[in-house]
């Protein structure tokens, strides 16, 4: 958790709780989810078509988005309460504002990652497409190899044979 909100106390609904304590469980859950998400992403680099890993990544992304939305909501409530509190220290207010901006950016990043990831089916189609493209490249390479190594020499022999036939026929 950021040091920006460490030690900030705000009264929300009559409860004066240290903000970092109120966010403690949310932050712990976010850290755990992020760790699991990194693990799954690493494994997907090794086996991009693994359906179980694709499902897990999608679930972790959705969980991370939900947890980050919860954190942002609590931070915004704390910021509003701070604004409503007369004489609230401006440095602590600015720290809260920075934390809201940071969490908002984290949420945007997670949503962009989830959007780019798409669904499990789209990831499977992507992997299948890459495999088909690879096979196509290999077939194309083999075809050009055949043309270079077999077809061209046969055509040259044919041309030489015709030329030889015409020279025998002319003589």
């Amino acid at each position: 958790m950021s040091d920006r909100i460490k030690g900030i106390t705000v009264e929300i609904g009559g409860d004066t709780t240290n903000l970092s304590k109120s966010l403690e469980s949310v932050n712990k859950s976010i850290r755990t989810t992020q760790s699991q998400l990194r693990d799954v992403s690493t494994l997907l680099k090794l086996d991009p078509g693994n359906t179980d890993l694709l499902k897990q990544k999608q679930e972790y992304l959705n969980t991370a988005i939900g947890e980050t939305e919860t954190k942002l909501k609590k931070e915004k409530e704390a910021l509003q309460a701070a604004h409503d509190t007369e004489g609230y220290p401006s440095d602590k207010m600015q720290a809260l504002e920075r934390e809201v901006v940071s969490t908002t950016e984290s949420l945007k990043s997670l949503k962009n990652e989830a959007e780019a990831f798409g669904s499990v089916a789209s990831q499977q189609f992507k992997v299948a497409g890459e495999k088909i493209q690879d096979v196509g490249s290999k077939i194309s390479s083999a075809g050009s190899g055949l043309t270079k190594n077999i077809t061209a020499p046969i055509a040259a022999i044919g041309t030489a044979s015709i030329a030889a036939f015409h020279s025998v026929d002319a003589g």
Side-chain angles (χ1 to χ4, degrees), residues 135-145:
V135 169
S137 295
K138 288 178 182 175
I139 290 171
S140 176
S141 178
S144 66

Side-chain angles (χ1 to χ4, degrees), residues 107-166:
L107 182 59
K108 283 181 191 176
S109 176
L110 285 168
K111 286 182 175 182
N112 288 341
E113 185 177 352
E115 186 178 317
F117 179 73
S119 68
V120 172
S122 70
Q123 288 299 312
Q124 288 175 319
F125 285 131
K126 180 181 173 186
V127 169
E130 289 170 357
K131 287 181 181 177
I132 290 170
Q133 186 176 11
D134 186 44
V135 169
S137 295
K138 288 178 182 175
I139 290 171
S140 176
S141 178
S144 66
L146 285 174
T147 300
K148 180 180 171 187
N149 297 326
I150 296 176
T151 308
I154 290 174
I157 291 170
T159 303
S161 297
I162 291 172
F165 176 74
H166 283 305

Side-chain angles (χ1 to χ4, degrees), residues 14 25 35 37 52 58 71 88-89 96 98 119 130 135 141 145 168 171:
S25 66
S35 174
L37 188 56
D52 292 331
Q58 191 172 32
K71 178 181 178 182
Y88 194 80
L96 271 171
R98 289 190 302 271
S119 68
E130 289 170 357
V135 169
S141 178
V168 170

Side-chain angles (χ1 to χ4, degrees), residues 4 8 78-85 87-100:
R4 287 188 289 264
I8 294 179
L79 183 60
Q80 185 59 49
H83 279 292
D84 293 343
T85 303
Y88 194 80
S90 65
D91 61 328
K92 292 187 182 217
M93 181 84 68
Q94 291 170 347
L96 271 171
E97 289 169 346
R98 289 190 302 271
E99 193 63 26
V100 167

Side-chain angles (χ1 to χ4, degrees), residues 4-24:
R4 287 188 289 264
I5 62 172
K6 200 173 204 172
I8 294 179
T9 304
V10 181
E11 184 175 336
I12 302 174
D15 179 26
T16 55
T17 307
N18 185 316
L19 183 58
S20 61
K21 285 183 183 176
S22 71
L23 291 173
E24 190 174 313

